[in-house]
């Protein structure tokens, strides 16, 4: 879960320039590692590092970035700093805010902020907002509504797979994405799929049941 | 539709008594005054059924607005600067650079008030300043720009260090020693005498570490104050009504001018009462900036300054005779609550001992004060005594369940132990601990618990039936995720013969009828009776209006069922019936009814685990929890809470615990990356069983009882599996491997 987003696909040619943390790190980090690389590689690495460093120097590290995020099918203009995470942008910089994804740990351990980036589940606290530009961001709000829940959301209600509900958006998003990938999972596979999400109230067994029920299509519409 | 049964002359009720420091029940006979009754538990139309929670759809779709999600216009983001030292004198806080950052709107520092006595921080994490800024990013920059000069003082973060002679003092006040006596009970010399006559004696020491509540929504508030006479505080709290007074004091307003709103909250487990230091700071910032301030703690703040379950250190000497009778128990119990007193149920927890003595102390350290956490003091006491009972049983060569029954007078425990044993397949357990071929060893263990709970006369509920047929129930209480909204609606719907969707509930608002805080598993037992009373009164008020239309039937004889109202041989649809109401509708004002609430429960847990004796890893296989709770308002939600209790116990038994660096005085694991919560991969099969043989027609809370007995059950299962008795939680692989090693060396 929370797959590393694809480096290549995050390199967009359109402006503003891509200020990805990965490319920035590449610029400052490779020179140090270069010493450990065999001689014939070192030269290439050194040259690459110099180039990357030069490129990174051009990227903004402070000051506002004017971004257009595609959130649940709507184009949302937002002004954020390069360091602003996608989660932070959704919750605190969009107007009106998108607060379905929850900020719980802010360090990629709990999964409560899970969103789909081009259909893949990611921890939105580990993705820079700038890196989400040009991709489709789907939050739990984009999966269904209270009136028209998707099959996973309906199953969560029916199986009582939530208590306080603060982890629930993350679980719902994770399970929805997983069932797309594997529409007929076993219990063991569901558990594996949920391993990146924490719940403190103790809803795990019913989350598993809900995921299996949603997969089987045994959930009633309401 | 729940008609009152005809008044009987006498009825038996159970009343609480304290035996060995533990709440228990004694049955007495009282006059039956014909007060409101639930009726038999198996005769409900909605209650005691499986009801999906009514706030489920807004929660699964991200539409539910938690405190963390509030965004009043013009809102600023608050952040707290914590002390990096466990014990230090704050000499100077220089926030001038922070104030100069564009976007910073307010800064408060502990040294702002010259009249205030100097600040000595007593734990790493104690707030020394706070800021509010236009974005979270700017607020974080502002924290980094604050310079604090400290004079570092000697610290203590281990109980062993605090009790040493000549140790530094935790508190400056000479009246507050590092070790404070708490309670003392029994005659130590009689116990010593009785131990001489015992056939087996076990002397053992058990320890449990500090545990973190780890509510997924951190503590915090959104204080909406823009100057003027009124304020609204959105709070993540277990006590809606604990907020206005606290906030008013900080804001300099009247208590009645502050409204608290708790629409949805993301877990508390005992840690969220009152506005807290974070709320006080939010109020100060809001007052200074004249703008709303959103101050929710970060996860690291939460670990360091938002309370904890106290640790424990318990020393026993206990003896039993050949027939399995516990004849003597000597206990010394230390509560490890940091700056707080900690909590612990007295020993021998639940079990009867012919001769018992205990003495209890709080040992203080430079750590944030303990708070209540789900059954304060009980899991600690239960783990220790259940381990001890097991050790005695094995030493005697007695079955662990039989040994327990021998020392439990209450027949309910016998029945629950038998049921749990059947469900887990107790007969399959390892007859000799550690027996069996191969590295993967399975074992089983059990434990018991008790909780008082009960209700209080604190909830004022309004049930209003409008002329258009809509029904609403309003009370200021909060739903912690336990399903309060759902049963509140269900009680009213059932009383009026309607469906759950026909009723709307309004809760979480201090402008509504008062309600108690959610502590001690008292919410349901306090609230449900008041809701029932309001619903009965609303039903009778409607019936009174309808009497002329129903052939003059007496209001109490008019029945409400299946969306219809019947009497005098006629039936009206709900809509038709309500059309006869006055324009303002009718409202029933409900208050608490003793007859509808109960208190005092038991509870047993059985656990099966698999231990890999090559790696020391424990894999939970199955857990069964049997719980009596009188009338289960919603079986689905009750089972969910029981699952939650088992899972949290599992965390305490196997993975969780604060780790402190004694030298630095700092917590080494203040985050979910290093503090191991139970996760999806570790989940065993969980079997929550409601003990329906408890036919009390009374509401009793289930939150706390379900977290008590499992900790000991898991520890005992580990021993049964591999033969290693781990007396210090959590039971990590290193402890099992060391245990196996010392066994081998001993053999």
């Amino acid at each position: 879960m929370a797959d590393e987003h694809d480096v290549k696909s995050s390199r967009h040619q359109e402006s503003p320039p891509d200020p990805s943390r990965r490319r920035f790190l590449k610029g400052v980090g490779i020179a140090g590692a270069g010493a450990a690389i065999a001689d014939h590689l070192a030269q290439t690495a050194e040259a690459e590092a110099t180039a990357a460093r030069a490129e990174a120097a051009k990227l903004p590290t402070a000051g506002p970035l004017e971004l257009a995020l595609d959130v649940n099918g709507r184009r949302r203009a937002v002004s954020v700093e390069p360091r602003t995470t996608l989660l932070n942008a959704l919750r605190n910089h969009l107007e009106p805010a998108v607060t379905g994804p929850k900020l719980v740990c802010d360090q990629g351990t709990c999964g409560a902020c899970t969103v789909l980036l081009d259909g893949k589940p990611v921890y939105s606290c580990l993705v820079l907002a700038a890196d989400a530009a040009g991709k489709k961001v789907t939050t739990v709000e984009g999966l269904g509504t209270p009136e028209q829940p998707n099959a996973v959301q309906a199953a969560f209600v029916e199986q009582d797979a939530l208590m306080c509900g603060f982890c629930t958006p993350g679980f719902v998003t994770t399970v929805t994405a997983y069932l797309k990938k594997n529409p007929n999972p076993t219990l063991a596979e569901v558990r594996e799929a949920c391993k990146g999400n924490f719940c403190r109230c103790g809803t795990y067994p019913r989350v598993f049941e809900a995921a299996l029920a949603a997969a089987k299509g045994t959930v009633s519409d309401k | 539709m729940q008609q009152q049964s005809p008044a009987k002359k006498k009825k038996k009720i159970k009343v609480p008594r304290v035996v060995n420091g533990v709440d228990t029940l004694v049955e007495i006979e009282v006059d039956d005054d014909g007060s409101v009754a639930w009726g038999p538990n198996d005769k409900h139309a909605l209650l005691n059924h499986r009801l999906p929670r009514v706030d489920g759809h807004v929660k699964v779709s991200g539409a539910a607005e938690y405190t963390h999600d509030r965004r009043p216009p013009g809102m600023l983001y608050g952040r707290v600067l914590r002390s990096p030292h466990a014990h230090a004198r704050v000499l100077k806080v220089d926030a001038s650079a922070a104030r100069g950052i564009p976007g910073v709107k307010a800064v408060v520092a502990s040294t702002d008030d010259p009249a205030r006595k100097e600040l000595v921080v007593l734990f790493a994490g104690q707030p020394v300043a706070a800021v509010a800024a236009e974005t979270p990013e700017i607020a974080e920059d502002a924290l980094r720009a604050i310079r604090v000069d400290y004079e570092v003082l000697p610290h203590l973060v281990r109980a062993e260090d605090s009790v040493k002679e000549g140790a530094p003092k935790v508190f400056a006040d000479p009246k507050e020693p590092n070790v404070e006596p708490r309670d003392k009970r029994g005659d130590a010399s009689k116990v010593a005498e009785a131990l001489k006559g015992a056939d087996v004696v076990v002397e053992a020491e058990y320890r449990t570490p500090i545990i973190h509540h780890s509510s997924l929504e951190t503590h915090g508030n959104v204080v909406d104050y823009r100057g003027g006479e009124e304020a609204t505080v959105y709070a993540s709290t277990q006590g809606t009504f604990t907020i206005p007074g606290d906030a008013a004091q900080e804001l300099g307003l009247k208590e009645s001018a502050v409204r608290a709103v708790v629409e949805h909250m993301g877990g508390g487990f005992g840690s969220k009462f009152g506005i807290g230091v974070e709320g006080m700071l939010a109020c100060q910032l809001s007052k200074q900036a004249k703008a709303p301030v959103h101050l929710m703690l970060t996860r690291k703040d939460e670990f360091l300054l938002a309370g904890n379950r106290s640790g424990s250190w318990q020393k026993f000497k206990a003896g039993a005779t050949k027939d399995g009778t516990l004849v003597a128990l000597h206990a010394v119990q230390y509560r490890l609550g940091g700056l707080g007193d900690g909590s612990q149920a007295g020993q021998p927890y639940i079990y009867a001992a012919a001769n018992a003595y205990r003495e209890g102390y709080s040992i203080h350290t430079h750590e944030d004060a303990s708070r209540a956490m789900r059954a304060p003091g009980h899991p600690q006491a239960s783990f220790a005594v259940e381990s001890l009972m097991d050790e005695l049983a094995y030493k005697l060569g007695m079955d662990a369940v039989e040994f327990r029954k021998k020392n439990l007078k209450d027949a309910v425990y016998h029945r629950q132990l038998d049921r749990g044993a059947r469900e887990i397949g107790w007969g399959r357990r390892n007859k000799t601990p550690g027996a069996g071929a191969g590295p993967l060893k399975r074992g089983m263990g059990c434990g018991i618990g008790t909780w008082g709970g009960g209700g209080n006369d604190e909830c004022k509920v309004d049930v209003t039936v409008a002329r258009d047929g809509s029904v609403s129930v309003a009370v200021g209480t909060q739903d912690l995720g336990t399903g309060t909204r759902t049963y509140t609606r269900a009680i009213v719907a059932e009383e009026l013969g309607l469906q759950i969707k026909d009723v709307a509930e309004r809760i979480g608002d201090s402008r509504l009828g008062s309600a108690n805080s959610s502590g001690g598993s008292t919410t349901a037992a306090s609230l449900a009776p008041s809701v029932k009373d309001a619903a009965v009164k609303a039903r009778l008020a409607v019936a009174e209006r309808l009497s002329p239309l129903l052939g003059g039937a007496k209001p109490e004889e008019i029945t409400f069922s299946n969306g219809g109202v019947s009497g005098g041989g006629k039936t009206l649809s709900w809509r038709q019936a309500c059309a006869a109401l006055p324009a303002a509708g009718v409202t029933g004002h409900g208050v608490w009814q003793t007859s509808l609430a109960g208190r005092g429960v038991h509870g047993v847990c059985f656990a099966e685990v698999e231990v890999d004796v090559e790696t020391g890893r424990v894999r939970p296989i199955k857990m069964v929890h049997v719980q009596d709770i009188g009338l289960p308002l919603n079986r689905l939600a009750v089972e969910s809470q029981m699952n939650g209790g088992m899972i949290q116990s599992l965390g305490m038994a196997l993975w969780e615990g604060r780790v402190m660096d004694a030298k630095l005085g700092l917590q080494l694991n203040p985050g979910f990356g290093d503090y191991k919560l139970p996760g999806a991969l570790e989940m065993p099969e969980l079997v929550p069983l409601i003990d329906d043989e408890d036919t009390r027609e009374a509401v009793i809370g289930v939150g706390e009882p379900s977290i008590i007995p499992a900790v000991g059950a898991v520890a005992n299962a580990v021993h049964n599996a591999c033969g290693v008795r781990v007396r210090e939680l959590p039971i990590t692989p290193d402890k099992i491997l060391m245990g196996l090693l010392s066994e081998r060396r001993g053999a």
Side-chain angles (χ1 to χ4, degrees), chain A residues 80-81 83-85 88 91-93 97 99-107 109-110 112 140-142 144-147 149 152-154 156-169 171-172 188 190-192 194-195 197-206 208 221-222, chain B residues 50 52-53 55-64 66 68-69 71 77 135-138 141 144 211-218 265-267 269 299 373-374 480-481 635-637 639-641 643-645 647-648 656 671-673 675-684 686 688:
Chain A
V80 295
E81 293 185 49
R83 61 175 158 167
T84 301
T85 61
N88 192 351
R91 293 184 56 84
N92 302 317
H93 292 279
T99 56
K102 301 296 182 229
L103 185 149
V104 169
C105 73
D106 212 18
Q107 54 177 212
T109 53
C110 76
V140 68
E141 291 97 329
T145 62
E147 298 73 30
V152 172
Q153 290 168 322
F156 266 61
V157 177
E158 200 166 289
Q159 304 290 327
D160 207 37
L162 68 153
M163 282 189 260
C164 85
F166 213 69
C167 69
T168 309
F171 271 104
V172 164
V190 168
R191 291 158 68 110
E192 183 70 24
C194 291
K195 72 180 178 188
N197 293 69
F198 276 137
C199 166
R200 187 47 155 171
C201 297
T203 58
Y204 297 110
R206 286 182 164 174
F208 305 154
D221 278 333
K222 259 284 151 184
Chain B
R50 307 177 72 79
R53 58 191 69 215
D55 46 355
H57 285 99
V58 292
K59 284 182 172 178
V60 297
S61 58
Y66 292 81
H68 220 135
D69 303 331
R71 299 289 180 273
Y77 293 86
T135 67
E137 293 91 335
I138 298 172
D141 288 347
R144 281 192 283 270
I211 297 287
H212 291 278
H213 300 79
S214 309
S215 312
L216 286 206
E217 183 178 42
T218 56
M265 63 89 74
F269 311 111
R299 182 54 51 186
M373 181 170 174
R374 205 167 177 180
L480 276 57
R635 297 184 78 84
L636 201 54
E639 289 172 1
S640 283
Q641 267 194 291
N643 280 343
I647 293 170
Q648 289 185 356
E656 294 180 43
F672 291 154
Y675 182 90
K676 175 75 187 95
L677 289 180
L681 290 182
E682 294 102 11
M683 280 308 106
L686 294 171

Side-chain angles (χ1 to χ4, degrees), chain B residues 166-218:
Chain B
K169 293 266 289 131
V170 174
F171 300 102
D173 187 344
K175 286 193 294 264
E176 294 192 74
N178 291 1
V179 183
E180 282 187 83
R182 289 286 156 212
D183 55 342
K184 197 181 255 194
R185 188 188 283 240
D187 187 337
S189 60
K190 276 191 187 162
V191 172
E193 196 56 40
L195 279 168
K196 286 182 200 155
D199 295 312
V200 293
V201 172
V202 169
E203 202 168 347
E205 226 176 285
Y206 304 94
R207 291 177 189 235
T208 66
I210 284 176
I211 297 287
H212 291 278
H213 300 79
S214 309
S215 312
L216 286 206
E217 183 178 42
T218 56

Side-chain angles (χ1 to χ4, degrees), chain B residues 443-467:
Chain B
M444 291 181 192
C446 65
I448 65 170
T450 184
W451 191 252
N456 303 300
D457 181 9
E458 290 186 66
C459 296
K460 306 270 183 287
V461 180
D462 287 346
V463 171
T464 301
V465 181
R467 195 154 68 175

Side-chain angles (χ1 to χ4, degrees), chain B residues 197-269:
Chain B
D199 295 312
V200 293
V201 172
V202 169
E203 202 168 347
E205 226 176 285
Y206 304 94
R207 291 177 189 235
T208 66
I210 284 176
I211 297 287
H212 291 278
H213 300 79
S214 309
S215 312
L216 286 206
E217 183 178 42
T218 56
H219 286 65
N221 304 269
V222 179
V223 177
D224 189 350
Y225 179 61
R226 298 154 198 261
E229 300 301 313
E230 294 195 334
T232 300
V233 178
Y234 303 93
S236 184
T237 182
Q238 299 176 229
T240 307
F241 294 89
T242 64
I243 300 300
D246 285 0
Q249 201 170 351
E250 287 300 322
L251 293 170
L253 299 175
K254 284 193 211 155
E255 182 172 353
S256 56
V258 179
R259 176 184 176 198
V261 177
V262 195
E263 187 71 20
H264 297 284
M265 63 89 74
F269 311 111

Side-chain angles (χ1 to χ4, degrees), chain B residues 470-681:
Chain B
S470 58
V471 180
S472 64
V473 48
V475 55
T477 191
Q478 53 288 323
D479 188 335
L480 276 57
T482 52
T484 307
R485 286 177 181 274
T486 309
Y487 70 69
T488 298
R489 259 200 222 184
I491 291 166
V492 177
E494 182 175 283
E495 189 65 32
L496 299 175
L498 301 172
Q499 294 178 42
I500 286 195
K501 65 172 175 54
D502 299 327
V503 179
E505 84 290 354
R506 280 164 60 219
I507 68 164
D509 188 336
S510 63
R511 293 274 157 91
L512 300 174
S514 64
N516 58 334
S517 297
S518 295
S521 294
T522 58
T523 310
S526 302
L527 180 61
S530 304
V531 175
K532 172 81 171 174
D533 186 49
V536 169
K537 285 171 175 162
R539 168 172 63 78
L540 291 172
V542 172
E544 207 165 298
R545 290 275 170 170
L546 294 179
S547 174
L549 301 176
L550 296 172
K554 285 184 190 162
E556 59 275 17
E557 285 168 1
I558 293 173
T559 60
F560 291 67
S561 64
N562 300 321
V565 184
S566 310
K570 293 179 191 164
T571 294
L572 299 172
S573 75
W574 179 250
R575 277 298 188 88
Q576 286 171 332
C578 293
L581 298 178
V586 295
T587 298
H589 304 288
V591 294
W592 191 65
Q593 301 295 320
T594 323
S595 58
L596 300 178
R599 82 190 294 285
V601 292
H602 310 73
V604 310
C605 186
F606 282 75
E608 181 176 14
V609 304
E610 182 178 88
V611 180
D612 183 334
V613 294
E614 288 176 352
T615 64
R617 188 166 169 267
V618 179
R619 187 165 76 94
I621 303 293
K622 185 174 180 178
M623 293 170 84
V624 176
H625 184 109
V626 185
Q627 188 64 55
D628 49 326
I629 55 158
L631 164 63
L633 292 168
N634 176 359
R635 297 184 78 84
L636 201 54
V638 166
E639 289 172 1
S640 283
Q641 267 194 291
M642 288 165 66
N643 280 343
M646 285 189 268
I647 293 170
Q648 289 185 356
S649 303
L650 200 54
M652 181 171 169
L654 298 181
W655 306 299
E656 294 180 43
R658 171 185 276 182
V659 180
M660 296 298 290
D661 183 303
K663 206 163 180 188
L664 298 171
L666 304 178
Q667 182 174 1
L668 297 174
N669 58 345
F672 291 154
D674 301 298
Y675 182 90
K676 175 75 187 95
L677 289 180
L681 290 182

Side-chain angles (χ1 to χ4, degrees), chain B residues 111-132:
Chain B
T111 49
D112 280 353
D113 181 1
R116 195 171 156 179
K117 256 180 71 184
E118 61 162 15
L119 176 70
V120 174
V121 294
L122 292 175
F123 64 95
Q126 187 170 340
V128 291
V131 302

